[in-house]
Amino acid sequence: MKKFGSLLLVSVFAGAITLGAYKLFLEKPNYAVIQQENGAKMITSSYTPTSAKGSGINEVDFTMAAQNTVNAVVHVKNVTVSKGPSSIMEYFYGYSGSQTPQVGTGSGVIISQDGYIVTNNHVISNADQLQVTLNNNKTYNAELIGTDPNSDIALIKINVDRQLPYLAFGDSDNTKIGEWVLAVGNPFNLTSTVTAGIVSAKARALASLDQSFIQTDAAVNPGNSGGALVNTNGDLIGINTAITSQTGSYVGYSFAVPSNIAKKVVEDIMEYGNVQKGILGINTVPMNSPYAVENGINEIDGVYIAGIEEDSGAFDADLKEGDIIKNIDNVEIHKFADLIGYISSKRPGDELLVTVLRGEERMEFPVMLKERQTIIIPVLGFEVKNLTEDEKKTFKTKKGVKIIGVPETYRNYGFEGKVLLSFGDEEINNIQDAKNKFGKISRYDRASITMLNKKGEKERLIIQ
């Protein structure tokens, strides 16, 4: 019994020594200095508890966002009938008139209870028939309402006799790098597929598209195009659009059109029938070009103004060549993709507060966005501009667009300076009208255009 008591005392004594050594040498308190009213200082200490559970994916609930999204994402089928020669024999012995249907698939997002659906332009491009299959396997024929190839956004509609589940547009400007997101679509015809990832970057530029994208690492594959990118609240923050891959399948990068841009395009199509695109009226220097490298422009944090277009908002606001755009409406601008991403969500007539660095001085200018006055029309590649009031009087016309540039192929035909009046039997009112009409031509179609020369004479040209 005495032996047991001795062992107990030794154990208690050893434990006390160990605890005291830990308190004295290993445990480090966090000290706080408190200033009392009488001026005396009192030092207190507190210990910060350490949790074995870290913050991460286990604390994020994807289930509600996924459940709310899958029913609002649809499967889009594009049926295109090829009207050209389908075999080598038809090239030699003539086109027999056979028609070969080709089927492409993608995704879309229901954005209203009455059946409006946003998708990618490349999903529905050149479609002879569009079909939409809902998550409940019901299939409807769809009507194309409008499209914008520049942003790769299109609006289609199905007629239904009941209210549909839909997604509301979120504010993509509030999206943060590192935020969890879900990509929902129909990759490889696997309907209602949900993948998770994070926002890898914002305002990402792709060489093939003059657009600003949200980059994520959520798995996106062929068939996902036009589907939804949502945050954990289920808000639609992007339309999945592209991947960069040498194999054609997902390798870790995917890109979505920000919801603020997609929403603006959809609203323009519904209200105006086309996209209202406002421009600042500045010219920039391509990054990594010899001029940019030699003059240190690549190292600039912001957008360097290399030139100002006359009669533009930038011209009227007195922006200067050499100014560096740092902010627009208090949104930081680090590169051109930031600039184009923000302006793409605005319209002609909107006024922006542009902050520039001019030398060492930081200056602010209110700038009114104006409508683009020139555009290159599809197929022909003519550069055309809207007519001024003086030009309308000179050519004695109220409609049409003036041809100010042509590709090398047409350089010797004398098209420059003429007014393009109509496409087939349809009058051309402005540059957007011209772009939309010529955008409908396929390589097998024949069409006629009517032009007005400087003498006031009409000329007709057949194109094929």
Side-chain angles (χ1 to χ4, degrees):
M1 191 71 181
K2 289 182 179 181
K3 187 177 181 179
F4 174 78
S6 299
L7 289 174
L8 180 61
L9 288 173
V10 170
S11 299
V12 172
F13 182 69
I17 291 175
T18 303
L19 179 60
Y22 173 79
K23 291 283 186 179
L24 182 61
F25 299 108
L26 297 179
E27 188 175 52
K28 296 182 179 180
N30 295 329
Y31 293 102
V33 179
I34 301 175
Q35 186 77 38
Q36 295 181 327
E37 290 183 3
N38 60 7
K41 295 182 179 179
M42 179 176 67
I43 299 178
T44 63
S45 65
S46 62
Y47 297 96
T48 304
T50 302
S51 172
K53 181 181 179 183
S55 62
I57 192 171
N58 292 330
E59 297 182 8
V60 180
D61 184 6
F62 297 99
T63 56
M64 289 303 296
Q67 182 179 343
N68 293 336
T69 303
V70 291
N71 292 314
V73 174
V74 302
H75 189 248
V76 180
K77 184 163 70 173
N78 173 345
V79 180
T80 303
V81 179
S82 175
K83 301 175 183 178
S86 58
S87 68
I88 190 66
M89 298 302 293
E90 289 186 348
Y91 279 105
F92 286 104
Y93 297 103
Y95 172 46
S96 63
S98 61
Q99 295 183 339
T100 306
Q102 297 177 333
V103 178
T105 60
S107 303
V109 184
I110 304 173
I111 57 170
S112 69
Q113 292 180 332
D114 55 349
Y116 281 98
I117 298 168
V118 63
T119 184
N120 284 141
N121 174 69
H122 74 263
V123 169
I124 55 84
S125 180
N126 299 319
D128 292 300
Q129 182 183 10
L130 286 172
Q131 290 183 341
V132 167
T133 302
L134 306 184
N135 195 39
N136 61 7
N137 293 323
K138 289 188 177 181
T139 299
Y140 300 85
N141 288 327
E143 173 191 3
L144 176 62
I145 303 300
T147 183
D148 178 37
N150 288 333
S151 62
D152 202 6
I153 292 295
L155 182 65
I156 61 178
K157 189 179 187 303
I158 57 175
N159 293 319
V160 290
D161 55 2
R162 64 184 182 87
Q163 293 184 339
L164 297 176
Y166 69 97
L167 290 181
F169 283 107
D171 187 352
S172 53
D173 287 343
N174 290 336
T175 304
K176 294 179 173 59
I177 295 175
E179 178 180 347
W180 284 105
V181 290
L182 299 179
V184 185
N186 306 280
F188 305 116
N189 285 323
L190 301 172
T191 59
S192 304
T193 297
V194 180
T195 56
I198 63 169
V199 175
S200 305
K202 295 175 62 176
R204 183 68 80 194
L206 297 181
S208 58
L209 294 170
D210 183 17
Q211 183 58 276
S212 178
F213 293 91
I214 297 173
Q215 179 184 333
T216 79
D217 65 355
V220 169
N221 281 293
N224 270 113
S225 292
L229 184 72
V230 300
N231 58 23
T232 53
N233 294 325
D235 300 322
L236 182 63
I237 60 169
I239 302 298
N240 296 316
T241 298
I243 59 175
T244 55
S245 169
Q246 294 180 345
T247 65
S249 297
Y250 172 77
V251 292
Y253 311 101
S254 58
F255 302 91
V257 176
S259 59
N260 286 0
I261 295 177
K263 179 183 178 183
K264 185 260 181 184
V265 169
V266 167
E267 289 174 347
D268 282 356
I269 290 173
M270 295 180 70
E271 185 172 352
Y272 304 104
N274 54 49
V275 177
Q276 306 292 297
K277 188 169 184 177
I279 61 168
L280 277 179
I282 65 170
N283 299 319
T284 61
V285 177
M287 299 300 287
N288 300 318
S289 65
Y291 181 84
V293 173
E294 291 172 8
N295 292 273
I297 295 174
N298 278 4
E299 302 171 6
I300 290 175
D301 181 24
V303 173
Y304 179 84
I305 299 180
I308 304 291
E309 297 178 9
E310 289 189 12
D311 299 324
S312 66
F315 181 86
D316 294 341
D318 204 30
L319 292 179
K320 303 291 186 185
E321 180 180 343
D323 288 347
I324 300 172
I325 299 177
K326 303 290 289 183
N327 285 276
I328 298 183
D329 292 342
N330 295 320
V331 175
E332 292 185 355
I333 304 297
H334 299 286
K335 54 187 182 296
F336 183 73
D338 293 324
L339 177 71
I340 196 68
Y342 187 76
I343 292 178
S344 294
S345 65
K346 304 299 178 181
R347 296 183 178 86
D350 288 346
E351 186 174 271
L352 312 180
L353 184 63
V354 179
T355 303
V356 303
L357 194 62
R358 181 173 294 175
E360 299 296 325
E361 187 178 1
R362 200 175 182 92
M363 307 175 69
E364 292 184 343
F365 297 89
V367 180
M368 182 80 71
L369 295 183
K370 292 189 176 183
E371 188 177 358
R372 182 178 294 278
Q373 297 300 308
T374 66
I375 206 168
I376 295 178
I377 57 177
V379 183
L380 291 181
F382 289 179
E383 183 179 6
V384 297
K385 77 175 193 69
N386 289 324
L387 295 175
T388 65
E389 293 302 320
D390 288 340
E391 287 170 335
K392 289 179 180 179
K393 293 177 182 178
T394 300
F395 286 94
K396 297 180 180 180
T397 180
K398 295 182 179 180
K399 299 183 178 182
V401 293
K402 188 176 181 179
I403 302 171
I404 61 174
V406 297
E408 189 68 33
T409 310
Y410 302 104
R411 193 61 55 81
N412 299 321
Y413 289 88
F415 293 140
E416 290 185 67
K418 295 180 179 178
V419 173
L420 189 56
L421 289 177
S422 64
F423 171 80
D425 296 328
E426 301 179 71
E427 291 183 335
I428 295 174
N429 300 301
N430 50 50
I431 57 173
Q432 191 63 48
D433 207 16
K435 181 181 178 181
N436 291 340
K437 288 179 170 57
F438 279 87
K440 298 176 182 178
I441 304 177
S442 82
R443 58 179 176 169
Y444 299 109
D445 289 341
R446 294 183 64 191
S448 65
I449 60 174
T450 303
M451 295 177 291
L452 196 64
N453 63 28
K454 295 178 181 179
K455 297 180 180 179
E457 301 168 336
K458 290 185 177 180
E459 301 175 353
R460 196 175 184 190
L461 177 69
I462 304 296
I463 59 174
Q464 183 171 4

